Amino acid sequence: MDLLIQIIFGLLSALVIGAAMMVVTVRNVIHAALWLIASFFGVAALYLLLEAEFIAVVQVLVYVGAISILILFAIMLTRSNEGDRLLTKYWWASALIALGLFGVAFLPTFTGTTWNMPQPTGPAGTPEVLSGVEELGRGFVSEFVLHFEIAGVLLTVALIGAIVIAFEERSRRRRVLTLAEELELRKRRQAAESVD
Amino acid sequence: MTRAIPLEAVLVVAAALFCIGLFGALSRRNLIGVLMGIELMLNSANINLVAFWRYLEPRFITGPTFAIFVITVAAAEAAVGLAMIIAIYRSWNTVNADSVDSLKG
Amino acid sequence: MYDVINHLINTVFGLGWPSWAISLIAYLLVATILFLVAPFQMLFLTYFERRAIAQMQDRIGPNRVGPQGLFQPVADGVKMFTKEDIVPDAADKWVHLIGPCVVVAPTMFMFAVLPWGPGMVPLDMNIGLLFFFAISSVSAVGLMASGWASNNKFALLGAMRAVAQMVSYEIPAVLSLLAIVLVTGSLSIVDLIHQQAGLFISSADVPGIPDLGLGWFVFTPVGFLAFIAFFIAALAEGERTPFDIPEADSEIVAGYMTEYSGMKFGLFYLAQYVLNFLLCAITAIIFFGGWQGPGVGWLYAQAITPTNPDGNGLFNVLAGMLGVFYFLAKTYFFFFVMVWVRGAYARLRIDQLMDFGWKFLIPLTLVNVISAAIWVGLTKWGAAEGLAFVEGWAPLMRWGVAFVITLLLNIAAYIFLARVYSQAQDERARLDNEVLERLTNVA
């Protein structure tokens, strides 16, 4: 059982990291978005492995079902003319920063941890008590009620803000007339001429 | 899960994801690419929150609650960010971060 | 399934395999069965739809291959397999291939939490309902990918329309489910069905009701409004007429499927019909009790269950058969309603579709959530939650008061919203006219 979990964890980590690498290096933005979705899926599966079912489902619902769709829409509404360069001029500096940060986080962990030590989580044999979706729901209306409401306000603000920012006035929009409108227009022109 | 994989392994995966996201956010020219990098970073933070909850405090709901708030913030950020990208595209006709430079002295 | 495999391997053959291996085998077996069921559903539903729509249009429909044309879908499938698979030169090869796969995969995933009969559920997740809808939203990614990869204007337009429609109608669907979840207090699909025992009144609300398996949620005002809203949203999600804008043949060829041929096209078809089946099934489960029906509850009480280990195995089979019969009968009835709607209504325009979803259905379902909260307060709460005055009433009385109040609230909301909506439509037509006049300088 442990071996199975380790194999699954390894595969999922490889998926998450590999897909994330593709996101930042692949040239085509649509491909990058699709890799991003793959990475989101991997993270959702990691949550399932961590026995956080609700978070996993929310991850799929929000990230895969909503955010990535938004990103795809935005890509299709904007034409990217990146030209020949994918990355900024000083990309090596950011690569150094990212690598350095990873080194700072990774090296102490790598040297300071006794790997493969089972974590003591209570006496063996007794099933662990995990807080599930019901406790989460109760928490949202008792302990975290203020945070919950702030999150609601934040979402409302974001909704209104996004509409206001991206809104294009109706009159400014370039409008192509439909066939029915063309006909209507012709009819009206004829009517106007006949009045003259 | 908790017996088979040490907490540090999960944290290392999250750290790697964070650094990749950071690299993407700092170095991609396309604004949408930058946003994707930020999403990756938020995801890695979420992995950390859930992992700490699972390994250290599985009885309390603070970890998943925080993860859900992070997801909420990510959704709000994506909506506003993409709206701004579309607005920028309308007035500059480009989505490259280094072409939007009218504040340059 | 786990128990059966465990018995077979460890007791009969005495191999002593570990439990995870047996779980793996059991799940693989169940998954295989479900993967076989899905295409058969699709085959039957295409035949059913073609025959039914033919009857409505005063035609005969496919009746040549096999008795009454029953093997027509098989012949179509063979044709689909043997057709050449054409990938356009300008297409993005890999994304073009991945698109249909990503569209099909979620529909298969959704079978994982679908209960077929009493005790017959592949996986009883405690967040099954949420899982179902989270996974269903994934196929939008596949549509988008395939529309974009085809490198064709019609395909891209169709994909944009499909995704916009799916994303917008997910909100009323989930909101109407939220009302039901509020009433049941559970996200598990199995729990949801168990609470629909009773006779017109759910036995979860009034304990003494005789159990005929008819305590469906559709008999309450909250459930009825949720059912109407959900079914409309399901029509939009399954891209059925009057919401089949994404693949409107007369406008944009075939939408995102334009550049697909052979088996990839078949995969889109498979995904669509399986999704329709699943949407009908989930409608039947959530609002019409799934496998609940007269007799199933009684049969299942005699059967071997975790709570009743010394029951009779024969009753398991009987209850299962009757339950599956009820479930499939309801599901096919809803699919028939879908075909019926297709025969009766014309296609909507995309802006009408968006207006209807955002400006009418979403507010209506929001009001319905409030109704559901009132329902829960009146039927389930007591002094502990701050509603001491309902404590003294009899359960039937509480149920009646809740019924009347929510009914009045829902009807009022419907009338109000319908009036506002029609006024807004008139206003919009007037504005459109003004813009047209300004654009053309003709008064």
Side-chain angles (χ1 to χ4, degrees):
Chain A
M1 193 69 180
D2 285 0
L3 184 68
L4 188 69
I5 287 180
Q6 276 159 2
I7 292 170
I8 293 174
F9 179 77
L11 287 177
L12 285 180
S13 315
L15 169 68
V16 170
I17 304 285
M21 285 302 280
M22 295 304 279
V23 171
V24 294
T25 53
V26 86
R27 176 165 292 276
N28 191 325
V29 200
I30 295 263
H31 288 186
L34 292 176
W35 280 113
L36 184 73
I37 294 166
S39 180
F40 286 160
F41 249 114
V43 173
L46 265 183
Y47 290 154
L48 273 185
L49 204 59
L50 286 164
E51 291 168 84
E53 292 168 356
F54 184 70
I55 306 285
V57 171
V58 168
Q59 167 95 6
V60 172
L61 191 68
V62 175
Y63 274 105
V64 181
I67 292 182
S68 53
I69 294 289
L70 255 180
I71 289 177
L72 282 174
F73 255 105
I75 293 172
M76 288 179 187
L77 287 176
T78 58
R79 193 174 298 112
S80 93
N81 40 357
E82 273 179 348
D84 48 346
R85 279 187 306 130
L86 164 77
L87 304 171
T88 48
K89 224 178 283 173
Y90 301 107
W91 67 271
W92 48 269
S94 40
L96 270 183
I97 292 173
L99 271 178
L101 194 66
F102 185 66
V104 166
F106 178 69
L107 284 179
T109 323
F110 189 71
T111 52
T113 310
T114 44
W115 292 86
N116 278 331
M117 277 290 284
Q119 301 284 318
T121 47
T126 54
E128 274 182 284
V129 184
L130 280 180
S131 52
V133 59
E134 204 174 326
E135 285 79 14
L136 207 61
R138 279 186 204 291
F140 275 138
V141 289
S142 55
E143 259 176 285
F144 297 102
V145 65
L146 185 66
H147 315 63
F148 187 61
E149 283 177 0
I150 291 173
V153 172
L154 174 73
L155 280 180
T156 319
V157 169
L159 181 75
I160 297 170
I163 293 172
V164 169
I165 292 169
F167 189 69
E168 204 176 16
E169 243 179 83
R170 222 182 158 69
S171 55
R172 273 216 243 141
R173 215 178 291 166
R174 241 171 356 111
R175 181 135 181 270
V176 182
L177 298 184
T178 62
L179 188 63
E181 281 167 346
E182 291 275 9
L183 287 178
E184 176 73 23
L185 181 66
R186 208 174 297 163
K187 219 184 283 170
R188 281 188 197 173
R189 283 222 175 99
Q190 279 169 0
E193 274 165 20
S194 64
V195 167
D196 293 342
Chain B
M1 174 70 199
T2 44
R3 276 188 301 115
I5 296 154
L7 171 61
E8 287 81 2
V10 186
L11 297 188
V12 165
V13 171
L17 193 61
F18 184 87
C19 292
I20 293 169
L22 184 68
F23 173 70
L26 289 180
S27 64
R28 273 203 90 118
R29 281 180 76 214
N30 192 317
L31 277 172
I32 299 174
V34 173
L35 205 78
M36 287 190 225
I38 294 172
E39 295 297 338
L40 284 178
M41 287 157 76
L42 286 169
N43 254 301
S44 79
N46 257 351
I47 295 179
N48 264 13
L49 289 172
V50 175
F52 278 126
W53 161 76
R54 180 66 188 83
Y55 282 85
L56 303 179
E57 296 278 3
R59 279 159 203 275
F60 300 104
I61 53 156
T62 325
T65 314
F66 260 91
I68 285 178
F69 286 135
V70 171
I71 290 177
T72 314
V73 171
E77 173 245 315
V80 176
L82 290 172
M84 281 168 69
I85 290 171
I86 288 173
I88 287 171
Y89 178 73
R90 263 194 210 127
S91 42
W92 267 273
N93 220 10
T94 178
V95 284
N96 286 346
D98 46 5
S99 319
V100 184
D101 54 0
S102 61
L103 267 182
K104 178 160 71 178
Chain C
M1 195 49 107
Y2 176 83
D3 298 330
V4 176
I5 301 278
N6 191 19
H7 181 75
L8 203 66
I9 288 181
N10 286 347
T11 317
V12 177
F13 294 123
L15 293 176
W17 284 8
S19 65
W20 62 267
I22 293 170
S23 301
L24 205 63
I25 293 173
Y27 281 129
L28 276 180
L29 215 61
V30 172
T32 315
I33 294 171
L34 290 177
F35 274 24
L36 287 177
V37 165
F40 275 108
Q41 291 294 345
M42 177 256 187
L43 290 183
F44 175 70
L45 289 181
T46 46
Y47 168 75
F48 178 72
E49 170 159 16
R50 287 170 72 179
R51 286 292 287 204
I53 202 84
Q55 295 289 322
M56 283 173 203
Q57 294 167 348
D58 209 4
R59 297 182 286 123
I60 297 172
N63 69 341
R64 293 286 137 180
V65 193
Q68 288 296 313
L70 253 176
F71 296 134
Q72 182 66 40
V74 180
D76 287 347
V78 170
K79 188 187 98 181
M80 214 76 105
F81 263 115
T82 50
K83 278 230 167 171
E84 187 192 354
D85 176 34
I86 300 167
V87 181
D89 264 348
D92 192 315
K93 304 276 178 312
W94 278 104
V95 182
H96 191 263
L97 173 68
I98 289 170
C101 305
V102 177
V103 176
V104 172
T107 58
M108 297 295 177
F109 266 108
M110 281 147 84
F111 275 102
V113 290
L114 197 74
W116 292 79
M120 291 167 68
V121 56
L123 184 64
D124 179 17
M125 271 178 126
N126 62 354
I127 44 162
L129 206 56
L130 200 61
F131 175 84
F132 193 91
F133 282 91
I135 287 294
S136 82
S137 68
V138 173
S139 57
V141 173
L143 295 183
M144 203 78 162
S146 53
W148 176 78
S150 301
N151 212 344
N152 174 320
K153 283 212 172 66
F154 290 125
L156 189 58
L157 259 178
M160 289 285 231
R161 284 178 173 193
V163 172
Q165 172 176 328
M166 280 182 88
V167 170
S168 331
Y169 275 83
E170 218 154 75
I171 302 168
V174 171
L175 277 178
S176 52
L177 291 183
L178 187 64
I180 297 297
V181 169
L182 215 60
V183 170
T184 56
S186 167
L187 277 169
S188 154
I189 298 184
V190 175
D191 253 21
L192 214 72
I193 295 178
H194 277 293
Q195 292 204 15
Q196 300 190 47
L199 181 62
F200 298 108
I201 299 170
S202 166
S203 54
D205 291 337
V206 183
I209 288 294
D211 178 16
L212 282 182
L214 288 172
W216 303 343
F217 289 133
V218 75
F219 297 134
T220 62
V222 176
F224 185 73
L225 192 64
F227 161 64
I228 299 288
F230 182 80
F231 197 68
I232 292 172
L235 284 177
E237 286 219 9
E239 285 157 21
R240 303 285 314 183
T241 330
F243 303 113
D244 64 341
I245 298 164
E247 47 194 285
D249 338 43
S250 46
E251 297 170 24
I252 49 169
V253 195
Y256 50 84
M257 302 192 242
T258 307
E259 293 291 355
Y260 283 89
S261 64
M263 209 47 222
K264 288 185 197 155
F265 181 76
L267 279 183
F268 277 120
Y269 242 75
L270 175 73
Q272 200 188 354
Y273 276 91
V274 172
L275 183 66
N276 285 341
F277 171 78
L278 282 162
L279 287 170
C280 293
I282 205 78
T283 314
I285 285 169
I286 295 167
F287 302 104
F288 288 79
W291 46 261
Q292 290 276 13
V296 180
W298 181 81
L299 283 172
Y300 194 55
Q302 326 286 321
I304 308 173
T305 46
T307 50
N308 181 20
D310 41 47
N312 190 341
L314 179 67
F315 283 97
N316 278 60
V317 179
L318 285 178
M321 279 166 67
L322 194 63
V324 172
F325 169 74
Y326 282 138
F327 169 65
L328 283 182
K330 288 168 193 171
T331 306
Y332 288 142
F333 173 74
F334 285 117
F335 190 75
F336 172 70
V337 175
M338 279 188 171
V339 176
W340 197 2
V341 169
R342 178 180 161 194
Y345 286 101
R347 186 182 303 133
L348 286 178
R349 224 169 46 211
I350 183 97
D351 60 320
Q352 290 169 336
L353 169 100
M354 286 293 160
D355 272 8
F356 183 72
W358 285 95
K359 296 178 185 164
F360 186 70
L361 222 46
I362 291 178
L364 196 63
T365 43
L366 272 174
V367 172
N368 198 31
V369 171
I370 298 173
S371 288
I374 294 174
W375 180 273
V376 171
L378 283 175
T379 56
K380 299 216 171 72
W381 283 11
E385 283 92 359
L387 284 180
F389 64 93
V390 294
E391 199 101 312
W393 301 352
L396 205 59
M397 161 102 170
R398 292 174 69 163
W399 185 87
V401 171
F403 191 93
V404 172
I405 290 179
T406 50
L407 183 68
L408 289 178
L409 186 60
N410 280 356
I411 289 176
Y414 174 77
I415 292 173
F416 176 72
L417 282 173
R419 186 172 297 166
V420 170
Y421 181 66
S422 68
Q423 273 172 6
Q425 290 301 96
D426 294 348
E427 181 73 359
R428 184 178 172 141
R430 198 178 62 74
L431 277 177
D432 267 349
N433 217 9
E434 249 172 41
V435 171
L436 188 68
E437 276 166 10
R438 198 165 58 241
L439 278 176
T440 56
N441 299 318
V442 178

